[in-house]
Amino acid sequence: MDHDGPSGTQSVDRALMLLLTVARHGAEGISLSGLVTSSGLKKATVRRLVLALMRAGMVAQDDQSRLYHLGDQAQVLGHVAAQRPGLAQLAGESVMRLAGDVGDAALLSVRRGASSLCLLREDGGFPIRTHALVPGQSHPLGVGAGSLAMLAALPEGERADVMAANEAVLARSFPRYAPHLPALVAETAARGYALNPGLVFEDSWGMGVALRHPDGRLAGALSLAAVASRMREDRRPELLERLRAEAARIERKLAQAAPRHGG
């Protein structure tokens, strides 16, 4: 039997991880064995947590295929969230325009604790796709260009705490990337933008900038992903200019949407 912590936060974290995994599979759905494989949890634990999510209406199982999909309650929450002018809504136009202008993949990510979560991805017209993130996918904070831009934008002490918290998972899941992370963070902080030279996936490069709220708090990151030949050195200034222009547009929208307090 699995034992959760005193507050049950471990079960909550695991249930949310499974919910996000179901969401990433969209209309296709995912099997119980697929959830077990992707989560690394025991089959009995996955079944118990999925049943709890089903009771809450967050997950539903197809009677014929037996695959899991998002439930009615999850869809209701998504509809409610869409009514609020969150970052994804404010940045959607910029993500689409950026991908259209440069021809490569444009992505929007946010920080979730010691991880980064991809909210939006729009592919440009260039026919070769990169192994970049898809919406709903997360990485340890610092892995990938947008994620790296967010990590480097944090205060130095907080940045060190995140890197320490992720040390084990980085060594296990990103052995090629982990040794380069301290230098990448320092370079990103110094020049104001992140560049991932194909260290997560070979030949998949990325460039990212952090997004900030009007008060300076980290809001997320806007990034580009392309094959190496599309991010060669002579093209990077143009990509960075377009990336920063759209980031500035998003930050202006964040400022306009921020609550105003009367004096």
PDB file of all heavy atoms in Angstrom, residues 149-168:
ATOM      1  N   ALA A 149      14.896  30.602 -19.850  1.00  0.00           N
ATOM      2  CA  ALA A 149      14.714  32.048 -19.684  1.00  0.00           C
ATOM      3  C   ALA A 149      14.016  32.363 -18.361  1.00  0.00           C
ATOM      4  O   ALA A 149      14.362  33.336 -17.678  1.00  0.00           O
ATOM      5  CB  ALA A 149      13.911  32.603 -20.858  1.00  0.00           C
ATOM      6  N   MET A 150      13.037  31.532 -17.983  1.00  0.00           N
ATOM      7  CA  MET A 150      12.328  31.756 -16.713  1.00  0.00           C
ATOM      8  C   MET A 150      13.244  31.503 -15.521  1.00  0.00           C
ATOM      9  O   MET A 150      13.247  32.279 -14.554  1.00  0.00           O
ATOM     10  CB  MET A 150      11.093  30.862 -16.644  1.00  0.00           C
ATOM     11  CG  MET A 150       9.970  31.304 -17.563  1.00  0.00           C
ATOM     12  SD  MET A 150       8.399  30.433 -17.267  1.00  0.00           S
ATOM     13  CE  MET A 150       8.761  28.823 -17.999  1.00  0.00           C
ATOM     14  N   LEU A 151      14.016  30.425 -15.569  1.00  0.00           N
ATOM     15  CA  LEU A 151      14.921  30.123 -14.456  1.00  0.00           C
ATOM     16  C   LEU A 151      15.929  31.248 -14.262  1.00  0.00           C
ATOM     17  O   LEU A 151      16.193  31.692 -13.138  1.00  0.00           O
ATOM     18  CB  LEU A 151      15.638  28.799 -14.717  1.00  0.00           C
ATOM     19  CG  LEU A 151      16.650  28.349 -13.659  1.00  0.00           C
ATOM     20  CD1 LEU A 151      15.978  28.164 -12.305  1.00  0.00           C
ATOM     21  CD2 LEU A 151      17.338  27.056 -14.092  1.00  0.00           C
ATOM     22  N   ALA A 152      16.504  31.736 -15.357  1.00  0.00           N
ATOM     23  CA  ALA A 152      17.509  32.793 -15.266  1.00  0.00           C
ATOM     24  C   ALA A 152      16.923  34.110 -14.789  1.00  0.00           C
ATOM     25  O   ALA A 152      17.650  34.973 -14.279  1.00  0.00           O
ATOM     26  CB  ALA A 152      18.177  32.984 -16.623  1.00  0.00           C
ATOM     27  N   ALA A 153      15.597  34.290 -14.949  1.00  0.00           N
ATOM     28  CA  ALA A 153      14.945  35.539 -14.544  1.00  0.00           C
ATOM     29  C   ALA A 153      14.627  35.581 -13.055  1.00  0.00           C
ATOM     30  O   ALA A 153      14.249  36.626 -12.527  1.00  0.00           O
ATOM     31  CB  ALA A 153      13.663  35.733 -15.355  1.00  0.00           C
ATOM     32  N   LEU A 154      14.780  34.455 -12.369  1.00  0.00           N
ATOM     33  CA  LEU A 154      14.478  34.412 -10.938  1.00  0.00           C
ATOM     34  C   LEU A 154      15.605  35.055 -10.123  1.00  0.00           C
ATOM     35  O   LEU A 154      16.751  35.101 -10.567  1.00  0.00           O
ATOM     36  CB  LEU A 154      14.312  32.959 -10.489  1.00  0.00           C
ATOM     37  CG  LEU A 154      13.140  32.164 -11.085  1.00  0.00           C
ATOM     38  CD1 LEU A 154      13.195  30.728 -10.573  1.00  0.00           C
ATOM     39  CD2 LEU A 154      11.820  32.817 -10.742  1.00  0.00           C
ATOM     40  N   PRO A 155      15.297  35.537  -8.922  1.00  0.00           N
ATOM     41  CA  PRO A 155      16.359  36.008  -8.029  1.00  0.00           C
ATOM     42  C   PRO A 155      17.372  34.888  -7.781  1.00  0.00           C
ATOM     43  O   PRO A 155      17.014  33.702  -7.789  1.00  0.00           O
ATOM     44  CB  PRO A 155      15.604  36.359  -6.740  1.00  0.00           C
ATOM     45  CG  PRO A 155      14.198  36.611  -7.173  1.00  0.00           C
ATOM     46  CD  PRO A 155      13.951  35.696  -8.330  1.00  0.00           C
ATOM     47  N   GLU A 156      18.613  35.242  -7.555  1.00  0.00           N
ATOM     48  CA  GLU A 156      19.691  34.261  -7.505  1.00  0.00           C
ATOM     49  C   GLU A 156      19.458  33.157  -6.481  1.00  0.00           C
ATOM     50  O   GLU A 156      19.686  31.973  -6.754  1.00  0.00           O
ATOM     51  CB  GLU A 156      21.020  34.970  -7.220  1.00  0.00           C
ATOM     52  CG  GLU A 156      22.231  34.123  -7.536  1.00  0.00           C
ATOM     53  CD  GLU A 156      23.518  34.928  -7.522  1.00  0.00           C
ATOM     54  OE1 GLU A 156      23.462  36.140  -7.804  1.00  0.00           O
ATOM     55  OE2 GLU A 156      24.566  34.336  -7.229  1.00  0.00           O
ATOM     56  N   GLY A 157      18.960  33.519  -5.307  1.00  0.00           N
ATOM     57  CA  GLY A 157      18.723  32.508  -4.270  1.00  0.00           C
ATOM     58  C   GLY A 157      17.634  31.528  -4.662  1.00  0.00           C
ATOM     59  O   GLY A 157      17.767  30.312  -4.466  1.00  0.00           O
ATOM     60  N   GLU A 158      16.547  32.047  -5.213  1.00  0.00           N
ATOM     61  CA  GLU A 158      15.445  31.190  -5.652  1.00  0.00           C
ATOM     62  C   GLU A 158      15.889  30.288  -6.801  1.00  0.00           C
ATOM     63  O   GLU A 158      15.510  29.114  -6.885  1.00  0.00           O
ATOM     64  CB  GLU A 158      14.273  32.070  -6.077  1.00  0.00           C
ATOM     65  CG  GLU A 158      12.979  31.314  -6.308  1.00  0.00           C
ATOM     66  CD  GLU A 158      11.809  32.251  -6.572  1.00  0.00           C
ATOM     67  OE1 GLU A 158      12.000  33.487  -6.515  1.00  0.00           O
ATOM     68  OE2 GLU A 158      10.712  31.733  -6.841  1.00  0.00           O
ATOM     69  N   ARG A 159      16.695  30.833  -7.675  1.00  0.00           N
ATOM     70  CA  ARG A 159      17.239  30.073  -8.797  1.00  0.00           C
ATOM     71  C   ARG A 159      18.057  28.885  -8.290  1.00  0.00           C
ATOM     72  O   ARG A 159      17.910  27.759  -8.776  1.00  0.00           O
ATOM     73  CB  ARG A 159      18.127  31.009  -9.625  1.00  0.00           C
ATOM     74  CG  ARG A 159      18.561  30.481 -10.958  1.00  0.00           C
ATOM     75  CD  ARG A 159      19.629  31.402 -11.547  1.00  0.00           C
ATOM     76  NE  ARG A 159      19.240  32.802 -11.585  1.00  0.00           N
ATOM     77  CZ  ARG A 159      20.093  33.808 -11.757  1.00  0.00           C
ATOM     78  NH1 ARG A 159      21.386  33.567 -11.903  1.00  0.00           N
ATOM     79  NH2 ARG A 159      19.654  35.047 -11.790  1.00  0.00           N
ATOM     80  N   ALA A 160      18.886  29.129  -7.292  1.00  0.00           N
ATOM     81  CA  ALA A 160      19.721  28.061  -6.732  1.00  0.00           C
ATOM     82  C   ALA A 160      18.864  26.987  -6.080  1.00  0.00           C
ATOM     83  O   ALA A 160      19.171  25.789  -6.183  1.00  0.00           O
ATOM     84  CB  ALA A 160      20.702  28.647  -5.720  1.00  0.00           C
ATOM     85  N   ASP A 161      17.783  27.392  -5.404  1.00  0.00           N
ATOM     86  CA  ASP A 161      16.886  26.429  -4.760  1.00  0.00           C
ATOM     87  C   ASP A 161      16.234  25.524  -5.805  1.00  0.00           C
ATOM     88  O   ASP A 161      16.107  24.307  -5.597  1.00  0.00           O
ATOM     89  CB  ASP A 161      15.803  27.156  -3.963  1.00  0.00           C
ATOM     90  CG  ASP A 161      16.345  27.841  -2.712  1.00  0.00           C
ATOM     91  OD1 ASP A 161      17.463  27.488  -2.289  1.00  0.00           O
ATOM     92  OD2 ASP A 161      15.657  28.727  -2.170  1.00  0.00           O
ATOM     93  N   VAL A 162      15.789  26.107  -6.917  1.00  0.00           N
ATOM     94  CA  VAL A 162      15.149  25.325  -7.976  1.00  0.00           C
ATOM     95  C   VAL A 162      16.138  24.325  -8.571  1.00  0.00           C
ATOM     96  O   VAL A 162      15.809  23.151  -8.786  1.00  0.00           O
ATOM     97  CB  VAL A 162      14.585  26.252  -9.074  1.00  0.00           C
ATOM     98  CG1 VAL A 162      14.166  25.444 -10.301  1.00  0.00           C
ATOM     99  CG2 VAL A 162      13.404  27.060  -8.552  1.00  0.00           C
ATOM    100  N   MET A 163      17.350  24.786  -8.836  1.00  0.00           N
ATOM    101  CA  MET A 163      18.349  23.898  -9.435  1.00  0.00           C
ATOM    102  C   MET A 163      18.704  22.749  -8.495  1.00  0.00           C
ATOM    103  O   MET A 163      18.901  21.609  -8.929  1.00  0.00           O
ATOM    104  CB  MET A 163      19.591  24.700  -9.824  1.00  0.00           C
ATOM    105  CG  MET A 163      19.331  25.673 -10.973  1.00  0.00           C
ATOM    106  SD  MET A 163      20.727  26.760 -11.354  1.00  0.00           S
ATOM    107  CE  MET A 163      21.881  25.602 -12.085  1.00  0.00           C
ATOM    108  N   ALA A 164      18.752  23.042  -7.198  1.00  0.00           N
ATOM    109  CA  ALA A 164      19.030  21.979  -6.226  1.00  0.00           C
ATOM    110  C   ALA A 164      17.874  20.982  -6.173  1.00  0.00           C
ATOM    111  O   ALA A 164      18.087  19.763  -6.105  1.00  0.00           O
ATOM    112  CB  ALA A 164      19.274  22.581  -4.852  1.00  0.00           C
ATOM    113  N   ALA A 165      16.640  21.492  -6.229  1.00  0.00           N
ATOM    114  CA  ALA A 165      15.469  20.618  -6.178  1.00  0.00           C
ATOM    115  C   ALA A 165      15.383  19.713  -7.398  1.00  0.00           C
ATOM    116  O   ALA A 165      14.880  18.586  -7.313  1.00  0.00           O
ATOM    117  CB  ALA A 165      14.197  21.470  -6.066  1.00  0.00           C
ATOM    118  N   ASN A 166      15.882  20.181  -8.535  1.00  0.00           N
ATOM    119  CA  ASN A 166      15.793  19.426  -9.782  1.00  0.00           C
ATOM    120  C   ASN A 166      17.039  18.599 -10.097  1.00  0.00           C
ATOM    121  O   ASN A 166      17.082  17.922 -11.127  1.00  0.00           O
ATOM    122  CB  ASN A 166      15.539  20.383 -10.956  1.00  0.00           C
ATOM    123  CG  ASN A 166      14.100  20.865 -11.000  1.00  0.00           C
ATOM    124  OD1 ASN A 166      13.202  20.207 -10.486  1.00  0.00           O
ATOM    125  ND2 ASN A 166      13.885  22.003 -11.629  1.00  0.00           N
ATOM    126  N   GLU A 167      18.025  18.645  -9.226  1.00  0.00           N
ATOM    127  CA  GLU A 167      19.312  18.021  -9.538  1.00  0.00           C
ATOM    128  C   GLU A 167      19.165  16.539  -9.897  1.00  0.00           C
ATOM    129  O   GLU A 167      19.725  16.066 -10.898  1.00  0.00           O
ATOM    130  CB  GLU A 167      20.262  18.171  -8.346  1.00  0.00           C
ATOM    131  CG  GLU A 167      21.671  17.701  -8.633  1.00  0.00           C
ATOM    132  CD  GLU A 167      22.626  17.999  -7.483  1.00  0.00           C
ATOM    133  OE1 GLU A 167      22.182  18.562  -6.461  1.00  0.00           O
ATOM    134  OE2 GLU A 167      23.820  17.652  -7.614  1.00  0.00           O
ATOM    135  N   ALA A 168      18.385  15.798  -9.124  1.00  0.00           N
ATOM    136  CA  ALA A 168      18.263  14.358  -9.361  1.00  0.00           C
ATOM    137  C   ALA A 168      17.529  14.052 -10.664  1.00  0.00           C
ATOM    138  O   ALA A 168      17.968  13.212 -11.453  1.00  0.00           O
ATOM    139  CB  ALA A 168      17.545  13.689  -8.186  1.00  0.00           C
TER     140      ALA A 168
END
